[in-house]
Amino acid sequence: MSRAYPNIGGPISLVNQNGEQVTEETYKGHPTLIYFGFTYCPDVCPMTLVTVKRAYDRLPEGVSPPQTLLISIDPERDTPEQLAQYVSTAAFPDNLQGLTGTPEEVRAAADAFLADYSRIEQPGSESEYSMDHTSLLYLMDEDWQLKTFFTHEDTDETIATCLTELLEQ
Ligand code: NI
């Protein structure tokens, strides 16, 4: 079930919701589940994070959930302060961290994961614009190598089963 994708996944240099500088080295030593999204997303991002939380709730005893990262592809609005509030949402994983950075840092991180995003203007709407973005969950191993990925359409049951197989000691 474990697959290797040597071209997907690479270095990141961002700040977390507490304003602390982080890189891939920050997370090595523990599996990490990464999602690129944004806090103003009305549907797919929050639903995906809820699904991840439900998947973690299904993990058997002895299988620890991976560290969970939301990397914002909307750094203009997703400041560390905005992310701090968002990641504390009760329906999201307890260990969720929100990462952001300069537009260049965010683009470099997304490029490393072959993730794409673009701004969609919505003149007249309250939020002015939305973001179109790749919606995948990347499971990185303790060496920051891609182990597998999930789509936002995978169920919490599917994700839990796969995580259990891959992370069980
Ligand atoms: Ni979204």
Side-chain angles (χ1 to χ4, degrees):
M1 197 135 184
S2 185
R3 294 168 286 184
Y5 303 91
N7 300 324
I8 303 178
I12 59 168
S13 180
L14 298 165
V15 290
N16 69 15
Q17 75 280 359
N18 301 319
E20 297 158 343
Q21 191 70 38
V22 299
T23 70
E24 69 284 4
E25 297 296 332
T26 310
Y27 302 105
K28 279 186 184 174
H30 202 267
T32 302
L33 189 69
I34 300 169
Y35 186 72
F36 289 87
F38 67 116
T39 68
Y40 284 72
C41 181
D43 38 45
V44 175
C45 292
M47 279 316 302
T48 303
L49 293 168
V50 167
T51 299
V52 169
K53 157 87 166 160
R54 289 185 180 149
Y56 291 174
D57 288 344
R58 287 175 172 274
L59 294 177
E61 217 176 304
V63 178
S64 314
Q67 170 63 54
T68 318
L69 301 182
L70 169 68
I71 300 181
S72 173
I73 45 75
D74 184 15
E76 191 180 315
R77 290 184 295 201
D78 285 341
T79 60
E81 296 73 24
Q82 168 73 12
L83 284 164
Q85 195 173 26
Y86 190 73
V87 300
S88 67
T89 303
F92 296 166
D94 296 339
N95 68 8
L96 180 63
Q97 289 191 20
L99 307 186
T100 188
T102 65
E104 294 75 22
E105 288 168 337
V106 166
R107 181 60 76 180
D111 283 350
F113 285 80
L114 308 183
D116 201 11
Y117 59 92
S118 55
R119 180 177 163 132
I120 311 289
E121 299 301 329
Q122 294 183 322
S125 82
E126 205 174 304
S127 58
E128 290 175 36
Y129 67 92
S130 188
M131 299 297 293
D132 195 14
H133 62 95
T134 303
S135 187
L136 294 174
L137 290 154
Y138 306 83
L139 180 66
M140 309 304 283
D141 70 11
E142 40 292 317
D143 299 317
W144 200 256
Q145 299 296 308
L146 186 70
K147 225 166 154 65
T148 193
F149 59 82
F150 307 100
T151 79
H152 68 264
E153 291 176 326
D154 284 325
T155 64
D156 54 271
E157 197 169 6
T158 301
I159 293 171
T161 302
C162 191
L163 287 177
T164 301
E165 278 184 39
L166 293 173
L167 303 180
E168 215 162 32
Q169 302 294 330

